[in-house]
Amino acid sequence: MNDGRDAGSAAKRPPAGRTRRRGAPVTMQDIAQATGLSQSTVSRILNRSPTVVPIAESTRERVLAAAKELGYRPNPLARGLRGASTMLLGVIVRDITDVFFAGAIEAATVEASRRGYNLVLGHAHARADEAIALWGVLEARHCDAILLLGDMRDQPRLIEDLAGDSLPVVALWQGSTDMDIPSVTVDNRAGIRAVLDHLTGLGHRRIAFVGGRLLGDIKEREEAYLDYLTELGMPPHEGDVQHGLNEPAAGAAALDLLLDRPDPPTAVVASTDVLALGLLHAAHERGLRVPEQLSITGFDDIALAAYSVPALTTVRMPVREMVEKAVQMALDEIGRSDELEPSAEQPPPMLQPSLVVRDSTGRASA
Amino acid sequence: MNDGRDAGSAAKRPPAGRTRRRGAPVTMQDIAQATGLSQSTVSRILNRSPTVVPIAESTRERVLAAAKELGYRPNPLARGLRGASTMLLGVIVRDITDVFFAGAIEAATVEASRRGYNLVLGHAHARADEAIALWGVLEARHCDAILLLGDMRDQPRLIEDLAGDSLPVVALWQGSTDMDIPSVTVDNRAGIRAVLDHLTGLGHRRIAFVGGRLLGDIKEREEAYLDYLTELGMPPHEGDVQHGLNEPAAGAAALDLLLDRPDPPTAVVASTDVLALGLLHAAHERGLRVPEQLSITGFDDIALAAYSVPALTTVRMPVREMVEKAVQMALDEIGRSDELEPSAEQPPPMLQPSLVVRDSTGRASA
DNA sequence: GTCGCGGCTACAAACGTATGCAGTGGATGG
DNA sequence: CCATCCACTGCATACGTTTGTAGCCGCGAC
């Protein structure tokens, strides 16, 4: 039974029944040796290769038994070397702690596994200036395609590496930029318009805006806000637009800045649900009643938005549909990878969000 | 310039200046050919191999230039085949949408990248009964070690595959089970005790509990709750303990069940912040004022807990410390992988949580 | 009796990289 | 002027698969 693979020293290994730990991985070669067959035969059986060559039923069973017995696990590296697809979908997200992206990742996981793919998660880590390790995450993983979640424009290295790469990349929520990366976007303008229609319909005339860093979708939302109010002839007052990180704390701080003035706004549009939650909290801290004294809206409709106090009026992001579309685009591109001509350039799909009215908005107070 | 790698047909490729898409990946062989050197020399230079053999400075520069010029990317598969470590840390999480785990993943990402590792995320998908594709996620990825986030006891296939595997596995928040997987845990009993001390100190005598599925930490928390109240001689009334999924909706539903009775409790301990947020919402819906009429506590201290309405009294989970410890354990195990003896069995580290008093708890009402 | 053929299996060449060892050339010392 | 040594580079092999093709064997047909 000594197959020559033992290390030189005959140190007896722990006699535990189940030799876990450091059993040199079982290879096809081992199975071949155990069954007296050749490694290639084993390979064919283990992959039920498409009848190119017939295999005796008895042999098949013998091999399968041995494989199970020895606890064989295919080595994906070796498999990948031969050019097989890795069935991996890389996902780069700029901030995992952003609950919105967490939801998107969930959606991507579901959609990917429906197609037999698994997810590899890279992490842009918004606050790390040196995002160099990034490209390692992707390329280092040899995925079949890559999904980009969020606007990565501030990570030029990443974009560059990605562009130089030979595999399909699809971006989500990167805002309508002119980067030549196929993308799936949402109609941010329509979302903001819906929110502002709703608020003005409730009689609000002084509507403030709280945004995150001017990236991607956030930027679009702010621009849409400005355009809308300008067109209506009631542009925001000075100080009616606040910026900060996309965190509840920033929202809370912004609210104080907005309200610690004479003649404060009667409604605040947040560029994000997370910010809106911070606004709600700060309003409560000040003893302000929402929506009686102040209306607040969000954007995204994260899971918690329906359970805030009070429940948040927001814009529903069609996350599932967008991710579905993006995964499909990426995988289609893989399929097309053999052909020479680049796929016909189509306008990036843009999906429609929808207003969800809950309890954080009401008629404008005197 | 025709290096023989072209496909047979001389179909001219799109003349775009930047030939993206489907340029067969540049290999060391290509660089060797371009510089007139051999592949092995290129390899040594590109890895600055440790002076085993000297390399002429001019040659080095020539190669580096060519590598940059051609846009060389090392193939991690091939590299891994040779046994090199993949610098990958696998993470299996049972539910990504759980904001608590999202935070943990963030922490793991940070800690891993501090050590030059990257994360691969597998997804147990709490609701998928057939978690078969799972083991594919891990093994298929050939990581150097695996972190388990949450209790996976209901996924026996996964545990089994994991145990049969030869690489280090460390579990986090799996509850104190007797599975022979090294783990890092938190002292749930101490956390619950702190919460109950706090509440009884405020005069509460009828304290209800809302838990998720009886898994891991949640189970421990519920048991601690029962023990505590029993020891104090005021065991929970019938119906004072509610169960559900770990979602705000479940928390909201539970609150109604708890309060739609004569003689309702004056405080509710949630096994999780997420549930507690649902409780807060439901209380608000009922017009109940927190904490004047009802006290509510959470567990975990997720980022949003400080920004709920009102801010949530909860138990801080030492996430960063725990993840740090776990990553260290896993990586240490890798280092030890060459030695034969299994590392000396040590009791799994258990970290201490701490009470965070905010505004959702107050003196018991009449 | 020989040939052919079908059914099964083994051989071997990739895939891209790492690395021990064997060269090769030039310079230097005797 | 030859031997020696050093600085440098190439050769070859291994890693674990996949896959095209060649080989073996027995049985039936002519």
Side-chain angles (χ1 to χ4, degrees), chain A residues 194-205 207 228 232 362-364:
Chain A
V195 160
L196 291 175
D197 281 346
H198 171 64
L199 287 174
T200 54
L202 287 170
H204 293 276
R205 290 299 172 261
I207 304 176
Y228 186 102
L232 252 61
R363 300 213 65 82

Side-chain angles (χ1 to χ4, degrees), chain A residues 279-335:
Chain A
L279 292 172
L280 285 179
H281 176 81
H284 176 259
E285 292 283 290
R286 293 181 141 248
L288 267 184
R289 292 169 55 206
V290 176
E292 291 82 357
Q293 298 173 273
L294 180 70
S295 286
I296 292 178
T297 68
F299 205 117
D300 286 346
D301 195 24
I302 61 178
L304 272 177
Y307 292 93
S308 60
V309 173
L312 190 65
T313 292
T314 187
V315 176
R316 178 180 170 274
M317 176 74 71
V319 174
R320 220 204 51 232
E321 294 87 334
M322 291 181 71
V323 168
E324 212 165 295
K325 186 75 186 168
V327 170
Q328 183 197 322
M329 284 170 62
L331 266 40
D332 283 357
E333 193 65 26
I334 294 175

Side-chain angles (χ1 to χ4, degrees), chain A residues 42-274:
Chain A
V42 173
S43 170
R44 286 192 236 272
I45 292 177
L46 261 31
N47 299 304
R48 352 183 163 78
S49 70
T51 64
V52 181
V53 277
I55 299 279
E57 190 54 34
S58 63
T59 310
R60 149 169 284 117
E61 284 168 6
R62 199 150 46 104
V63 167
L64 290 179
K68 189 167 216 169
E69 164 71 18
L70 297 180
Y72 170 76
R73 315 282 183 102
N75 181 330
L77 292 182
R79 193 171 292 201
L81 237 201
R82 286 285 298 183
S85 75
T86 57
M87 287 301 166
L88 270 193
L89 199 58
V91 174
I92 314 271
V93 54
R94 60 173 304 122
D95 187 2
I96 275 213
T97 55
D98 189 324
V99 289
F100 171 72
F101 285 129
I105 292 171
E106 162 83 13
T109 306
V110 172
E111 183 61 18
S113 71
R114 283 202 334 148
R115 299 160 179 259
Y117 275 76
N118 279 125
L119 245 54
V120 178
L121 199 59
H123 190 181
H125 198 37
R127 293 183 195 93
D129 301 322
E130 310 279 0
I132 304 179
L134 263 179
W135 98 277
V137 185
L138 358 163
E139 192 65 3
R141 272 329 87 205
H142 207 264
C143 329
D144 289 343
I146 290 182
L147 251 45
L148 233 47
L149 262 45
D151 190 330
M152 308 281 175
R153 224 169 321 176
D154 56 343
Q155 314 253 5
R157 296 278 305 247
L158 176 58
I159 301 288
E160 196 176 325
D161 287 334
L162 234 31
D165 211 353
S166 60
L167 37 88
V169 178
V170 177
L172 277 164
W173 298 293
Q174 69 162 3
S176 322
T177 63
D178 53 352
M179 286 188 287
D180 62 347
I181 296 181
S183 56
V184 177
T185 60
V186 69
D187 192 342
N188 287 301
R189 301 195 82 85
I192 289 296
R193 224 179 298 128
V195 160
L196 291 175
D197 281 346
H198 171 64
L199 287 174
T200 54
L202 287 170
H204 293 276
R205 290 299 172 261
R206 271 295 300 291
I207 304 176
F209 183 89
V210 179
R213 297 160 66 195
L214 283 186
L215 279 176
D217 291 324
I218 306 302
K219 185 175 177 187
E220 286 189 14
R221 290 170 200 172
E222 175 163 339
E223 289 172 354
Y225 157 84
L226 291 174
D227 291 349
Y228 186 102
L229 290 195
T230 304
E231 281 173 22
L232 252 61
M234 49 184 208
H237 293 201
E238 173 145 2
D240 274 3
V241 177
Q242 296 291 334
H243 294 283
L245 295 176
N246 189 36
E247 293 170 354
L255 188 79
D256 287 336
L257 290 176
L258 287 174
L259 298 187
D260 281 341
R261 303 179 297 171
D263 190 27
T266 63
V268 183
V269 172
S271 63
T272 275
D273 281 356
V274 172

Side-chain angles (χ1 to χ4, degrees), chain B residues 37-38 40-41 44 53-54 56 59 82:
Chain B
L37 293 172
S38 79
S40 54
T41 301
R44 285 189 241 270
V53 276
T59 310
R82 288 284 299 184

Side-chain angles (χ1 to χ4, degrees), chain B residues 6-68:
Chain B
D6 287 347
S9 76
K12 62 185 169 209
R13 33 186 82 174
R18 280 297 241 172
T19 36
R20 277 195 66 194
R21 290 272 167 268
R22 316 300 155 209
V26 179
T27 73
M28 284 189 177
Q29 183 58 46
D30 294 330
I31 299 182
Q33 216 151 330
T35 56
L37 293 172
S38 79
Q39 177 265 328
S40 54
T41 301
V42 173
S43 170
R44 285 189 241 270
I45 292 176
L46 259 31
N47 299 306
R48 350 185 164 77
S49 70
T51 64
V52 180
V53 276
I55 299 279
E57 189 54 33
S58 63
T59 310
R60 148 167 285 117
E61 285 167 5
R62 199 152 45 105
V63 167
L64 291 179
K68 189 167 214 169

